[in-house]
């Protein structure tokens, strides 16, 4: 039977996932154009005309509500826009019942078909107490996840850090401290300080809130790298003796204060049984050496064989330890830093301490379950290049981080100039009186021969002009101002002489 | 005497050890029908599959193969499973249940949505065929037959709720058991004794997007989907009975709620990083979101009044999901944050139960505990048939001419 135009248009709309305008449409199953269909068509046309006049879409619901007698639950007018809803104060909107077709629904259902209001509470914004509660829930869920899928029976981590007081100590130690504060396992931090226990370091340890052992080492830190590496080894051995004395139980790792550790590192070292090795990314920064200073041949060589800056275990295809990747220091021969504040590349040693972790029981005296391939700690003294000296049988070393393929920590050595000063405790007290002119700001009223530590005396020559960084650029501007023309001229001369002095 | 005490202590210790061996802590699931998720239906019932001409099933599928991947694909997979299942019997005399393979939800628009206009006629024609070629329909007028009707409102065969209510369930199916996705209490389109099943969600696609279990769940509430159906309901208020719009208006600036209409490629991965997943009603109360939430371990927050969830007698949904009335949507954040953490952890343990996840899936080939087996379990629980369903000769209950005139046209 031929489909009516009404039904056809309905079908077309269905193909656009149309869901209909509600009970106002006649049933699409009937092919006969009933008088009611014609009536609705006329009403539809009327509504279109009204919409044209009014300028917005006019809902036919209005007519239905006008003519229907059974709707007793109307609290709000039906075609209120959402904007209106949000501005009105009443707490909840009730849904408007709709259409006499409801007779067909089961009488005991409280769910009604039709148009409902959109409920918006008076202040639809987050409540801070609830946000906090939600975060606590999230934390609890994550803790449960860690307990179920993370490391079972995690052991405590014993971190050994050699340090000494210098300008960059605050930078380095803050980084390590924050990393350690984030570790989700029990932690003991052994800090060995060259030059004895100091308040600077002690204040850091107190801020961290971790269990710490602050050990003083009587020797002062030398100012060249060679000696510094040797002293650091001795300091670490001192820390290992602390582990033995206190019978600390856990996994010993070496966190140098300028290194950077990822959080996955602490999860990975939980897998060590006795002695493990990790891959360390070596960040041998070039300091101030330009590329142009390197001879041409060496640069070409670098391009052909870029040295992989990773130190760590090397494995064969069956994931067994077969050797070691060490840092290739040949390209830097003769150009590496010797003194601590040299502007040259600082080179690591063959294998850095940071790439090794060990079970603290290896260090205990007379532990029964200690394997036989371990040297006793007392036999080691002085400068041992890496903790591998503890191990008699190198094949027993466990490669961690999927056999050294994951780099979980980075080695870096950065120190300040030898003459750099910093306020003790990084607290400026008393307030600075000394003004130190920086190179780029010409201070026009200062005589050019002023040195950094002398007080600047502004004699009553001219009115003190506030020195600004804009001095150079606004010279022309200032000269144009009539009031200060005189000063400007003198300023100019001063500025120019000062420039000539500095450049 | 002391020895016995030590033996007793030793025994206790051993049992404690045994119980702790469980690697991932889960909890057993038992619904109102008991601990039935792991039951094996083989041997408890026999199903006879009618051989219908291919115009009812295979030819329709050949016309549009999208029927195999959309959310109504349950009818096709149920047929395939039954054909090769051990519960199938070729002797109808010993069958407890009879299955009619007619694909009523496979007439698709270019967009992929099924048109229900011909479905009543198709179903009626199929029933006429089986009642005239086999005596089993007339024996009970369909009381021991079951049909899979996964469309929006089940056997009401319409996508629009008012129309569906007006039509009601197809009169010829009044006595049969219906396996459908739609479920709402006190609704015309859900008759008593129906088995609600989850919508089809492709299991391989979901397995392909699994992320490691130890990835911490950092999203509090997650939802992706429409809030307003601008094409069909421009004024709002019809779609989802205004509930989705209420969610948007109340929580769009709440950082705990990661809700938007975007279609991210990481949808499945994001669900695995969320604690709660909203499953509000749309045009119909059910949605595949429930299945996805269960598979990915995200606690479903069901916002649909009076909804009947899949396998409601076998799965205690109250203990697994969070039910929020549509009128309480503005207070959703208060409701969710006031759930004690132990309850949340327990829900996650229940969701982690592999039987739970299996019961929502349609794997091929079929595996024990999946949707097919749960349907068969449900059918087995309804056995034995009451003597009263067998009609006396000449007795007629169904009215073959009831329903809209258009339904009576032959298909």
């Amino acid at each position: 039977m031929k489909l009516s135009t009404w039904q056809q248009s309905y079908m077309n709309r269905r193909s656009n996932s149309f869901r209909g305008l509600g009970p106002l449409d006649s049933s699409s199953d009937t092919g006969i154009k009933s008088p009611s269909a014609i009536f609705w068509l006329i009403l539809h046309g009327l509504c279109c005309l009204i919409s044209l006049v009014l300028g917005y879409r006019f809902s036919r619901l209005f007519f239905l509500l006008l003519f229907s007698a059974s709707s007793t639950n109307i609290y709000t007018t039906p075609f209120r826009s959402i904007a209106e809803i949000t501005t009105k104060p009443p707490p909840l909107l009730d849904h408007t019942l709709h259409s006499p077709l409801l007779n067909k629904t089961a009488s005991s259902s409280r769910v009604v078909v039709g148009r409902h209001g959109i409920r918006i509470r008076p202040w639809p914004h987050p409540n801070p107490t609830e946000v906090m509660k939600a975060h606590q829930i999230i934390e609890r869920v994550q803790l449960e996840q860690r307990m179920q899928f993370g490391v079972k029976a995690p052991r405590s981590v014993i971190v050994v850090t050699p340090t000494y007081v210098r300008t960059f100590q605050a930078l380095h130690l803050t980084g390590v401290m924050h990393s350690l504060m984030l570790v989700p396992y029990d932690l003991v931090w052994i800090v060995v300080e060259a030059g004895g226990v100091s308040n600077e370091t002690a204040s850091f340890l107190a801020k961290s809130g971790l269990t710490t052992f602050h050990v003083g080492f009587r020797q002062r830190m030398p100012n060249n790298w060679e000696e510094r590496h040797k002293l650091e080894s001795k300091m670490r051995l001192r820390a290992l003796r602390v582990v033995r004395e206190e019978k600390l139980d856990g996994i010993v790792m070496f966190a140098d204060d300028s290194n950077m550790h990822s959080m996955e590192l602490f999860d990975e070292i939980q897998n060590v049984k006795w002695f493990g090795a990790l891959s360390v990314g070596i960040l041998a920064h070039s300091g101030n050496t330009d590329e142009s200073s390197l001879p041409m041949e060496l640069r070409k060589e670098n391009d052909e064989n870029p040295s992989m800056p990773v130190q760590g275990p090397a494995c064969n295809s069956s994931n067994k330890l077969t050797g070691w990747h060490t840092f290739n220091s040949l390209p830097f021969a003769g150009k590496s830093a010797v003194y601590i504040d040299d502007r040259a590349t600082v080179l690591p040693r063959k294998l850095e301490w940071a790439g090794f972790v060990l079970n603290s029981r290896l260090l205990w005296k007379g532990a029964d379950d200690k394997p036989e391939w371990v040297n006793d700690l007392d036999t080691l003294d002085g400068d041992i290049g890496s903790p591998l000296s503890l191990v008699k049988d190198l094949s027993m070393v466990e490669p961690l981080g999927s056999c050294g393929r994951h780099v979980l920590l980075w080695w870096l050595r950065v120190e300040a100039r030898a003459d750099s000063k910093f306020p003790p405790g990084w607290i400026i007290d008393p307030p600075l009186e000394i003004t130190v002119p920086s190179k780029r700001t010409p201070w026009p009223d200062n005589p050019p021969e002023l040195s950094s530590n002398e007080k600047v005396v502004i004699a009553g020559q001219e009115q003190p002009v506030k020195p600004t960084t804009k001095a150079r650029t606004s010279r022309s501007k200032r000269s144009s101002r009539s009031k200060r023309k005189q000063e400007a001229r003198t300023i100019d001369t001063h500025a120019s002489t000062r420039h000539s002095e500095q450049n | 005497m002391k020895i016995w005490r030590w033996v007793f202590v030793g025994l206790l210790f051993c049992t404690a050890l045994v119980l702790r061996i469980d690697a991932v802590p889960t909890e057993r699931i038992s619904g109102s029908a008991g601990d039935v998720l792991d039951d094996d239906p083989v041997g408890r019932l026999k199903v006879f599959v009618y051989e219908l001409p291919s115009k009812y099933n295979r030819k329709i599928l050949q016309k549009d193969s999208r029927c195999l991947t959309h959310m109504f694909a349950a009818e096709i997979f149920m047929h395939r499973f039954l054909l090769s299942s051990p519960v199938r019997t070729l002797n109808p005399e010993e069958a407890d249940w009879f299955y009619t393979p007619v694909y009523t939800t496979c007439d698709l628009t270019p967009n992929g949505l099924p048109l229900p206009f011909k479905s009543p006629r198709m179903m009626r024609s199929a029933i006429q065929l089986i009642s005239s070629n086999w005596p089993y329909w007339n024996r009970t007028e369909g009381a021991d037959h079951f049909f899979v009707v996964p469309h929006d409102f089940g056997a009401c065969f319409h996508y629009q709720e008012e129309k569906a209510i007006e039509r009601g369930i197809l009169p010829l199916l009044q006595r049969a058991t219906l396996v459908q996705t739609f479920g709402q209490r006190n609704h015309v389109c859900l008759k008593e004794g129906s088995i609600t099943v989850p919508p089809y969600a492709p299991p391989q696609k979901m397995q392909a997007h699994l992320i490691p279990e130890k990835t911490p769940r950092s999203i509090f509430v997650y939802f992706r989907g429409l809030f307003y159906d601008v094409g069909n309901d421009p004024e709002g208020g019809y779609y989802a009975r205004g509930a989705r719009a209420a969610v948007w208006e109340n929580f769009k600036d709440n950082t705990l709620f990661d809700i938007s209409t975007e279609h991210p490629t990481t949808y499945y991965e994001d669900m695995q990083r969320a604690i709660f997943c909203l499953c509000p009603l749309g045009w119909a109360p059910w949605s595949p979101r429930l299945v996805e939430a269960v598979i990915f371990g995200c606690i479903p927050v069901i916002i649909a009044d009076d909804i009947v969830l899949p396998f409601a007698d076998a799965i205690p949904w109250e203990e697994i999901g969070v039910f929020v009335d549509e009128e309480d949507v503005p207070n959703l954040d208060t409701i969710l944050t006031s759930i004690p953490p132990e309850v949340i952890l327990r829900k996650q343990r229940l969701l982690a139960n592999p039987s739970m996840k299996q019961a929502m899936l349609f794997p091929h080939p079929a595996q024990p505990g999946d949707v097919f087996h749960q349907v068969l379990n449900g059918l087995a629980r309804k056995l034995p048939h009451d003597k009263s369903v067998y009609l006396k000769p000449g007795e007629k209950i169904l009215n073959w001419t009831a329903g809209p005139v258009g339904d009576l046209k032959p298909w």
Side-chain angles (χ1 to χ4, degrees):
Chain A
M1 205 167 157
K2 210 175 77 172
L3 290 170
S4 66
T5 49
W6 178 268
Q7 202 172 351
Q8 240 168 5
S9 66
Y10 194 82
M11 293 279 277
N12 288 342
R13 279 185 287 180
R14 173 57 174 140
S15 66
N16 293 334
S17 69
F18 176 63
R19 288 282 176 176
L21 291 169
L24 299 172
D25 295 331
S26 65
S27 163
S28 62
D29 305 59
T30 61
I32 312 159
K33 226 181 191 159
S34 54
S36 65
I38 302 175
F39 169 68
W40 289 119
L41 202 57
I42 296 174
L43 187 63
H44 183 76
L46 190 62
C47 289
C48 285
L49 279 173
I50 298 178
S51 307
L52 269 175
V53 168
L54 283 177
Y56 57 84
R57 189 177 175 281
F58 183 77
S59 173
R60 280 163 279 174
L61 297 170
F62 180 62
F63 286 113
L64 197 70
L65 284 159
L66 270 184
F67 295 132
S68 84
S70 59
S71 45
T72 52
N73 287 351
I74 305 174
Y75 296 99
T76 61
T77 51
F79 48 93
R80 186 189 272 198
S81 69
I82 296 169
E84 285 177 79
I85 290 172
T86 49
T87 53
K88 285 282 167 86
L92 286 177
L93 301 172
D94 297 302
H95 49 261
T96 56
L97 283 182
H98 193 264
S99 97
L101 281 171
L102 287 175
N103 303 336
K104 295 285 176 80
T105 55
S107 49
S108 53
S109 167
R110 66 184 173 104
V111 182
V112 287
V113 185
R115 157 166 261 112
H116 294 248
I118 298 169
R119 295 177 170 86
I120 303 175
R121 60 187 191 198
W123 200 67
H125 297 293
N127 178 341
T129 336
E130 275 158 26
V131 174
M132 277 318 298
K133 274 201 261 182
H135 280 287
Q136 282 160 8
I137 292 177
I138 295 176
E139 255 185 68
R140 180 69 188 87
V141 168
Q142 288 186 358
L143 178 67
E144 185 70 22
Q145 275 185 285
R146 244 205 314 276
M147 277 167 33
Q148 278 184 27
F149 306 109
V151 180
K152 303 267 187 279
R155 292 172 279 176
S156 78
V157 179
I158 303 164
V159 184
V160 170
T161 304
T163 186
Y164 68 105
V165 178
R166 74 266 196 214
T167 311
F168 274 28
Q169 187 203 28
L171 169 74
H172 296 318
L173 218 51
T174 312
V176 175
M177 184 178 82
H178 286 168
S179 302
L180 296 182
M181 282 160 76
L182 281 176
V183 173
Y185 310 111
D186 294 329
L187 201 113
V188 176
W189 196 10
I190 305 180
V191 178
V192 186
E193 187 169 358
V197 171
S198 74
N199 288 340
E200 305 267 353
T201 321
S203 66
F204 270 110
L205 301 192
K207 265 193 287 188
S208 70
L210 303 166
T211 321
T212 52
F213 283 88
H214 193 178
V215 181
F217 204 77
R218 247 176 295 128
Q219 235 177 305
R220 296 201 59 155
M221 190 62 83
N223 71 338
N224 65 336
W225 285 109
E226 196 53 47
E227 296 295 316
R228 176 168 158 169
H229 285 142
K230 286 192 194 148
L231 189 64
E232 280 179 354
S233 297
K234 287 198 203 143
M235 288 157 77
R236 292 188 188 105
L237 282 176
R238 177 77 181 80
L240 293 182
R241 281 194 195 96
V242 170
V243 172
R244 159 191 286 226
E245 279 153 31
E246 304 287 327
K247 269 209 156 23
L248 294 175
D249 191 12
I251 302 169
V252 180
M253 63 162 287
F254 301 97
D256 302 337
D257 58 1
S258 53
N259 289 356
M260 175 58 82
H261 314 88
S262 71
M263 284 299 114
E264 290 82 12
L265 168 72
F266 297 99
D267 294 327
E268 184 64 26
I269 60 178
Q270 295 284 340
N271 297 331
V272 78
K273 270 214 296 292
W274 288 112
F275 197 98
L278 296 157
S279 282
V280 183
I282 301 294
L283 303 174
H285 75 103
S286 54
N288 238 350
T289 54
D290 312 302
E291 280 287 291
S292 55
S293 69
L294 285 172
M296 278 299 292
E297 315 87 61
L298 218 59
R299 236 185 301 158
K300 255 193 242 158
E301 197 185 276
N302 277 355
D303 292 334
E304 282 161 12
N305 279 351
S307 49
M308 186 152 76
V310 172
Q311 261 184 11
C315 293
N316 62 5
S317 50
S318 54
N319 282 346
K320 278 198 152 9
L321 182 68
T322 50
W324 301 92
H325 290 301
T326 59
F327 186 72
N328 180 12
S329 46
L330 283 178
F332 300 95
K335 281 173 198 49
S336 66
V338 173
Y339 289 98
I340 286 190
D341 59 351
D342 273 354
R343 277 192 268 137
T345 318
V346 183
L347 294 179
R349 304 176 115 197
K350 278 272 171 261
L351 286 171
E352 279 290 325
W353 282 75
F356 295 98
V357 289
L358 44 128
N359 191 334
S360 65
R361 284 168 198 252
L362 288 181
L363 306 164
W364 288 4
K365 247 191 278 239
D368 297 323
D369 48 352
K370 203 157 70 160
E372 315 81 48
W373 43 266
V374 171
N375 288 323
D376 195 63
L377 184 62
D378 288 332
T379 59
L380 307 167
D381 200 9
D383 171 28
I384 57 171
S386 68
L388 280 178
S389 319
L390 268 177
V391 175
K392 281 184 219 161
D393 182 5
L394 279 181
S395 65
M396 301 301 289
V397 175
E398 303 151 39
L400 296 173
S402 103
C403 216
R405 278 190 279 274
H406 293 161
V407 174
L408 299 167
L409 73 156
W410 294 269
W411 178 96
L412 175 70
R413 290 286 182 264
V414 172
E415 294 299 341
R417 286 163 50 133
D419 60 345
S420 75
K421 293 183 185 11
F422 67 98
W426 288 98
I427 294 174
I428 302 175
D429 181 38
L432 289 174
E433 279 180 50
I434 302 167
T435 42
V436 181
S438 94
K439 270 193 177 180
R440 290 234 185 96
T441 52
W443 287 27
D445 28 320
N446 297 346
E449 62 275 5
L450 211 62
S451 73
S452 52
N453 281 340
E454 281 182 36
K455 267 202 189 163
V456 171
V457 176
I458 304 174
Q461 313 159 345
E462 62 264 323
Q463 273 188 31
V465 177
K466 233 188 180 174
T468 61
T469 47
K470 294 196 209 112
R472 213 187 293 167
T473 50
S474 55
R475 225 188 298 161
S476 52
K477 275 199 208 151
R478 257 199 260 143
S479 55
S480 65
R481 270 186 234 153
S482 49
K483 211 160 97 175
R484 302 211 181 129
K485 247 195 185 130
Q486 209 181 18
E487 290 102 43
R489 257 180 261 124
T490 41
I491 287 163
D492 284 354
T493 49
H494 276 271
S496 53
T497 46
R498 196 173 162 78
H499 282 315
S500 56
E501 266 276 327
Q502 287 174 351
N503 297 341
Chain B
M1 276 313 284
K2 267 205 176 161
I3 297 176
W4 293 116
R5 213 182 288 165
W6 286 117
V7 168
F8 180 64
V9 169
L11 260 170
L12 274 179
F13 186 64
C14 289
T15 47
L17 269 180
V18 164
L19 289 172
R20 284 178 102 234
I21 283 174
D22 199 359
V24 178
T26 60
E27 279 192 34
R28 288 211 64 82
I29 295 181
S30 52
S32 58
D35 194 356
V36 293
L37 274 186
D38 293 327
D39 284 352
D40 187 12
V42 176
R44 293 169 58 202
L45 79 165
K46 295 231 171 290
V47 176
F48 177 75
V49 181
Y50 284 120
E51 281 280 332
L52 289 185
S54 58
K55 72 167 182 170
Y56 289 99
N57 30 57
R58 224 173 327 122
K59 289 234 180 87
I60 303 181
L61 183 57
Q62 272 166 4
K63 263 190 259 174
D64 196 338
S65 65
R66 281 178 301 181
C67 290
L68 279 173
T69 50
H70 68 174
M71 53 183 167
F72 307 102
E75 55 186 6
I76 303 173
F77 287 113
M78 192 76 202
H79 184 203
R80 291 190 180 180
F81 164 68
L82 281 171
L83 284 176
S84 54
S85 156
V87 302
R88 181 190 186 192
T89 168
L90 297 168
N91 176 9
E93 288 300 326
E94 61 169 11
D96 302 305
W97 286 101
F98 294 82
Y99 172 63
T100 321
V102 50
Y103 300 167
T104 51
T105 340
C106 203
D107 182 16
L108 302 184
T109 67
N111 264 2
L113 291 168
L115 288 172
F117 303 122
K118 297 202 199 127
S119 310
R121 290 160 52 197
M122 202 195 310
M123 184 64 84
R124 190 194 163 79
S125 149
I127 295 176
Q128 272 171 333
L129 203 99
I130 59 176
S131 64
S132 49
N133 289 2
W134 288 274
Y136 308 103
W137 177 269
N138 291 328
R139 196 170 62 169
T140 56
E141 295 247 278
D144 54 357
H145 288 58
F146 72 94
F147 296 83
V148 181
V149 280
H151 197 240
D152 293 9
F153 288 97
C156 293
F157 293 122
H158 210 278
Y159 50 82
Q160 230 191 319
E161 195 167 358
E162 294 104 341
K163 288 281 167 50
I165 294 172
E166 196 188 329
R167 294 178 57 91
I169 294 183
L170 197 70
L172 290 178
L173 295 175
Q174 294 289 4
R175 288 168 59 86
T177 296
L178 298 174
V179 177
Q180 57 188 51
T181 47
F182 171 75
Q184 191 174 313
R185 284 189 282 275
N186 301 323
H187 197 279
V188 176
C189 298
L190 178 71
K191 74 194 252 308
E192 221 214 293
S194 299
I195 299 178
T196 13
V197 292
Y200 176 76
Q204 302 93 331
K205 193 166 158 211
M206 291 196 286
Q207 301 289 353
H209 286 272
L210 286 177
I211 61 177
E213 291 244 25
K214 62 184 179 88
T215 316
R217 288 188 187 261
S218 45
I219 303 175
F220 193 59
V221 177
Y222 187 76
F223 176 75
R224 288 288 182 272
L226 290 178
F227 298 101
Y228 294 95
D229 191 351
V230 187
N232 303 319
D233 177 29
E235 289 154 357
Y238 260 112
Y239 179 56
R241 294 198 275 270
R244 286 191 184 202
V247 169
W248 175 252
E249 297 299 334
N250 281 298
F251 302 111
K252 59 186 174 203
D253 62 350
N254 195 326
T255 45
L256 295 173
F257 284 68
D258 186 355
I259 56 180
S260 97
T261 52
E262 277 183 18
H263 271 261
T265 43
T266 52
Y267 175 61
Y268 288 149
E269 287 84 347
D270 291 341
M271 272 188 136
Q272 291 169 79
R273 285 179 34 232
I275 299 184
F276 290 106
C277 288
L278 294 184
C279 303
L281 71 161
W283 286 109
W286 57 270
S287 95
R289 278 187 190 86
L290 182 70
V291 177
E292 289 158 359
V294 170
I295 301 294
F296 296 128
C298 181
I299 301 176
V301 178
I302 295 144
I303 308 173
D305 286 346
D306 282 349
I307 188 175
V308 175
L309 290 176
F311 307 125
D313 52 349
I315 300 177
W317 287 104
E318 294 286 335
E319 296 176 29
I320 294 172
V322 179
F323 286 82
V324 178
D325 289 339
E326 286 163 33
E327 59 182 9
D328 286 332
V329 165
N331 305 322
L332 191 59
D333 54 350
T334 318
I335 295 173
L336 291 180
T337 51
S338 59
I339 303 178
E342 310 84 50
V343 174
I344 293 181
L345 292 176
R346 176 159 187 264
K347 288 186 200 279
Q348 290 189 321
R349 277 198 297 273
L350 284 167
L351 283 169
N353 193 336
S355 334
M356 180 74 201
K357 297 197 203 270
Q358 212 35 355
M360 295 283 120
L361 285 175
F362 291 83
H364 11 112
Q367 288 162 15
D370 63 6
V371 176
F372 312 115
H373 288 85
Q374 302 300 338
V375 170
L376 291 177
N377 281 337
L379 290 170
R381 281 196 289 275
K382 293 176 101 186
L383 292 176
H385 293 295
D386 194 40
K387 286 277 178 271
S388 60
V389 304
Y390 293 99
L391 302 177
K392 297 184 249 313
E395 188 184 346
K396 281 232 171 287
I397 299 182
L398 290 182
N399 182 355
W400 284 73
T401 52
V405 176
D407 285 358
L408 302 174
K409 283 188 284 190
W411 183 72

